[in-house]
């Protein structure tokens, strides 16, 4: 059942001749139920609704929107109500209308249940429709909301936009997981289509009516989570990662419907930044990468910052120690453990760094300055031919 994005026909018209015949069948069977109920003076029994349910299932299979199917049921009920009103006294009109509402509710529930059952049995088609809708929403397509309504998908006024990349685990790459920022797990990993379809289906089943909308590809994708507490986005990505058995580098920011394209671009920048800096796979927000993001902008300050650690270029051991020390949040013992050296060795190397650069890594101001210099250095190397950032450009082209 593909996304119905055609606007060349009026809302009450079905596109194909086959669909026209089947909507007529739905209306005819609904009319028969209405007539039978009016004559018997009772609501329809479940068995009497079965022909209506089968006709609705045919429409779902043809891709006719649920709203159009319900419209034909309403037309049958309206015709029945007009006929019944013509035959009764004016004092009975209200009772007749109330009774017809009960009949209409039964018919509507039967049609909706048929559509829901079809979508449950055909999750791949439903996932495709949702993915196409996500693409329209993040492109700020003005017709996206209308298309969502035509396909029975509820759209929120505001979303937490998530852009993510699937990345390899240490077992995928054969590298040991040292926990150091410079050896973080940032290699792209691909996921097969069958696994993606299963994940989309599982996420939709666990999320309810106002759950996340997913558009996934082999290397990552976009998730739109209706605005909610921050923990909901984390939980959503945790479930996705567990379902696919894959790590992700992801970024999120909030945006209103109609302005999601710029938000998505920003999230994509944050993910590329985290990958170029070889940061740990997890969910990032702008506040998590504020310094790094600002330092990635062009400007004369970047050259000045890079010059701070230039004296360490001839001392790879000291540079590696500084990166590890910054990555472990200035914890000497943790750095020593990661470097497989004694804490006193770390102290000696930090003192040598201070002697060469003139900046004390044990002071708050000094550590911030050295951290910023490392970020600029890493970004500069990533932009060199064959660097991480140039690889991303090739990936996107």
């Amino acid at each position: 059942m593909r996304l119905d994005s055609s606007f060349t026909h009026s809302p009450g018209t079905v596109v194909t001749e086959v669909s026209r015949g089947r909507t007529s069948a739905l209306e005819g069977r609904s009319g028969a139920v209405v007539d039978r109920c009016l004559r018997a003076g009772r609501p329809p029994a479940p068995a009497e609704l079965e022909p209506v349910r089968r006709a609705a299932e045919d429409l779902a299979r043809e891709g006719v929107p649920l709203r159009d199917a319900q419209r034909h049921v309403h037309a049958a009920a309206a015709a029945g109500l007009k006929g019944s009103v013509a035959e009764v006294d004016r004092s009975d009109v209200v009772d007749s209308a109330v009774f017809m509402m009960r009949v209409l509710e039964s018919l509507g529930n039967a049609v909706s249940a048929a559509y829901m059952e079809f979508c449950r049995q055909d999750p791949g088609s439903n996932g495709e429709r949702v993915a196409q809708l996500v693409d329209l929403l993040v492109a700020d397509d003005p017709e996206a909301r209308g298309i969502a309504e035509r396909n029975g998908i509820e759209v929120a006024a505001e979303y937490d936009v998530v852009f993510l990349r699937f990345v390899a685990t240490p077992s995928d790459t054969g590298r040991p997981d040292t926990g150091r920022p410079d050896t973080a797990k940032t290699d792209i990993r691909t996921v097969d289509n069958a696994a993606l379809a299963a994940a989309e289906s599982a996420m939709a089943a666990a999320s309810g009516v106002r759950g996340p909308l997913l558009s996934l590809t082999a290397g990552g994708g976009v998730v739109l989570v209706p605005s909610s507490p921050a923990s909901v986005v984390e939980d959503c990505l945790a479930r996705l990662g567990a379902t696919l058995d894959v790590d992700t580098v992801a970024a999120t920011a909030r945006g209103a419907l109609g302005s999601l394209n710029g938000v998505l671009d920003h999230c994509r920048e944050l993910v590329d930044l985290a990958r170029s800096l070889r940061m740990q796979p997890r969910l990032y927000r702008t506040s998590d990468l504020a310094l790094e993001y600002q330092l990635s902008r062009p400007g004369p300050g970047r050259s000045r910052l890079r010059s701070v650690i230039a004296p360490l270029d001839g001392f790879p051991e000291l540079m590696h120690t500084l990166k590890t020390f910054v990555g472990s949040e200035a914890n000497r013992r943790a750095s020593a453990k990661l470097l497989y050296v004694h804490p006193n060795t770390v102290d000696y190397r930090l003192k040598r760094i201070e002697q060469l650069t003139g900046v004390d890594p044990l002071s708050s101001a000094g550590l911030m300055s050295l951290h910023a210099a490392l970020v600029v250095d890493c970004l500069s190397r990533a932009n060199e031919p064959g660097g991480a950032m140039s690889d991303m450009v090739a990936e996107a082209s």
Side-chain angles (χ1 to χ4, degrees):
M1 183 164 59
R2 300 187 67 80
L3 188 67
D4 178 11
S5 58
S6 171
F7 282 84
T8 60
H9 57 283
S10 64
T13 306
V14 184
V15 181
T16 66
E17 292 297 330
V18 172
S19 297
R20 285 194 185 95
R22 287 182 175 165
T23 50
S24 298
L26 176 62
E27 187 170 339
R29 292 176 186 180
S30 299
V33 171
V34 169
D35 183 64
R36 191 179 305 115
C37 291
L38 288 172
R39 292 180 184 279
R42 59 168 175 73
E48 294 175 303
L49 294 171
E50 185 60 22
V52 174
R53 190 198 64 76
R54 288 198 301 269
E57 191 176 83
D58 288 340
L59 293 181
R61 191 173 295 107
E62 287 295 321
V64 176
L66 173 59
R67 188 174 63 178
D68 288 350
Q70 294 283 20
R71 185 178 292 110
H72 286 276
V73 173
H74 294 171
L81 180 60
K82 289 178 182 177
S84 68
V85 169
E87 298 174 3
V88 301
D89 296 333
R90 189 175 294 274
S91 60
D92 293 330
V93 170
V94 174
D95 290 340
S96 182
V98 171
F99 176 75
M100 185 56 67
M101 291 299 294
R102 293 176 61 192
V103 175
L104 179 59
E105 181 182 15
S106 297
L107 290 168
N109 288 342
V111 171
S112 296
Y115 268 72
M116 292 175 65
E117 178 65 16
F118 175 76
C119 288
R120 186 187 69 78
Q121 294 175 352
D122 190 16
S125 298
N126 190 53
E128 183 182 355
R129 291 188 303 130
V130 173
Q132 290 173 348
L133 176 60
V134 170
D135 294 342
L136 292 174
L137 289 171
V138 296
D140 295 332
D141 192 312
E143 296 178 340
R145 184 188 288 275
I147 292 174
E149 291 176 355
R150 292 166 65 87
N151 287 271
I153 301 173
E154 190 172 352
V155 173
E158 193 175 54
Y159 282 100
D160 289 311
V161 179
V162 182
F163 179 76
L164 59 94
R165 293 281 195 187
F166 301 134
V167 294
T169 62
S171 59
D172 295 323
T173 61
R175 293 196 308 252
D177 183 13
T178 66
R180 293 194 295 266
D182 58 321
T183 59
K185 303 161 283 186
T186 56
D187 296 41
I188 284 292
R189 175 181 169 180
T190 58
V191 178
D192 64 78
N193 290 334
L196 293 176
E200 289 174 342
S201 179
M203 294 285 289
S207 302
V209 177
R210 289 296 297 273
L213 303 175
L214 288 78
S215 177
L216 302 178
T217 63
V222 178
V223 181
L224 299 181
V225 182
S227 294
S228 52
S231 59
V232 174
V233 179
E234 271 90 351
D235 291 344
C236 176
L237 286 183
R239 282 190 285 122
L240 180 62
T243 302
L244 293 173
D245 190 24
V246 66
D247 286 336
T248 61
V249 176
T252 184
R254 183 165 294 183
L257 199 66
S259 61
L260 299 182
N261 187 254
V263 177
L264 177 61
D265 287 343
H266 177 66
C267 292
R268 187 179 283 108
E269 279 189 284
L270 293 180
V271 168
D272 288 347
L273 180 60
R275 287 189 58 221
S276 68
L277 294 174
R278 296 191 172 277
M279 302 179 76
Q280 289 291 335
R282 68 177 183 89
L283 177 67
Y284 293 93
R285 290 180 168 80
T286 305
S287 57
D288 299 322
L289 296 170
L291 173 64
E292 291 85 351
Y293 183 78
Q294 191 58 44
L295 291 174
S296 69
R297 307 296 92 183
R302 289 185 57 175
S303 298
R304 174 67 185 88
L305 280 170
R306 174 64 185 84
S307 67
V308 171
I309 58 172
L312 302 181
D313 286 346
F315 302 89
E317 190 175 67
L318 295 181
M319 183 73 85
H320 182 50
T321 298
L322 178 59
K323 290 179 180 179
T324 305
F325 185 66
V326 170
S328 64
E329 298 183 353
N331 187 314
R332 292 170 52 256
R333 292 190 178 279
S335 298
K337 185 176 180 181
L338 290 169
L339 293 167
Y340 300 101
V341 298
H342 193 278
N344 289 345
T345 303
V346 174
D347 290 339
Y348 169 76
R349 292 178 183 177
L350 292 176
K351 181 58 67 176
R352 282 286 293 147
I353 290 170
E354 181 183 3
Q355 292 171 349
L356 291 168
T357 64
V359 180
D360 181 8
L362 295 178
S363 70
S364 297
L367 184 64
M368 184 178 297
S369 177
L370 290 168
H371 181 194
L374 285 173
V375 170
V376 171
D377 178 65
C378 190
L379 289 172
S380 299
R381 294 179 188 278
N383 279 304
E384 293 174 355
M389 197 66 76
S390 62
D391 291 344
M392 290 177 205
V393 173
E395 231 175 66
S397 60

